[in-house]
Amino acid sequence: MAVERPLGIDELLERVRAGYQRIEAPEAHEAAQSGAALLVDIRYAALRERDGLIPGAVVVERNELEWRLDPQGSHRLPEATGHALRVVVICNEGYASSLAAASLHQLGLHRATDLVGGFQAWRAAGLPVEPVRSQGPVGPATS
């Protein structure tokens, strides 16, 4: 019995990316502005706090992504309206988002893609970024 050689991460990324068309930052911005795509930021909190947010992007932690975007799921976001939804997954540099987009394809979200270069490419393209707003202190201020 032949044992199949395990994939390395580079080969895995190449395979999953071959399954869909990735999107560049200006095209993602235009698609989001026109309502043709939902931007989903999967970066962890420390990166969002450090670098800021893409206005209008929905923040979904990576470990919740499939539950929040499955149109059939009981924990879906209101934006998860159907399998034809065009989702653009954004991570920090465009690696984790590729694997996330492939996972969404397995759920039937056949138009899911990811942002080439991730958030860093978005920012480098001069596209809008806003700081994370602090929640501020909870409860009444004391002096």
Side-chain angles (χ1 to χ4, degrees):
M1 178 163 105
V3 176
E4 190 172 317
R5 174 184 66 83
L7 291 179
I9 189 60
D10 292 332
E11 188 176 351
L12 177 60
L13 280 172
E14 186 178 314
R15 284 187 185 187
V16 299
R17 288 173 175 169
Y20 61 91
Q21 183 69 40
R22 300 180 79 208
I23 190 170
E24 299 283 343
E27 184 183 352
H29 179 255
E30 184 178 310
Q33 290 296 107
S34 70
L38 175 67
L39 303 182
V40 179
D41 185 344
I42 63 168
R43 293 175 301 141
Y44 53 89
L47 288 177
R48 295 191 310 267
E49 290 169 10
R50 182 189 78 188
D51 293 338
L53 299 168
I54 295 172
V58 176
V59 174
V60 178
E61 296 285 339
R62 172 62 189 100
N63 63 325
E64 296 181 355
L65 184 69
E66 292 80 0
W67 284 267
R68 300 294 185 214
L69 292 180
D70 179 3
Q72 300 174 2
S74 59
H75 299 289
R76 71 182 173 277
L77 294 172
E79 294 89 348
T81 56
H83 288 97
L85 179 66
R86 185 174 188 203
V87 175
V88 179
V89 183
I90 303 167
C91 68
N92 193 48
E93 294 182 341
Y95 296 99
S97 58
S98 294
L99 299 175
S103 180
L104 294 177
H105 276 252
Q106 291 179 328
L107 289 176
L109 291 155
H110 61 277
R111 296 182 67 211
T113 187
D114 76 311
L115 184 63
V116 176
F119 178 86
Q120 297 306 322
W122 179 278
R123 185 169 61 182
L127 295 170
V129 174
E130 59 189 23
V132 174
R133 292 188 182 96
S134 171
Q135 296 291 343
V138 177
T142 57
S143 46

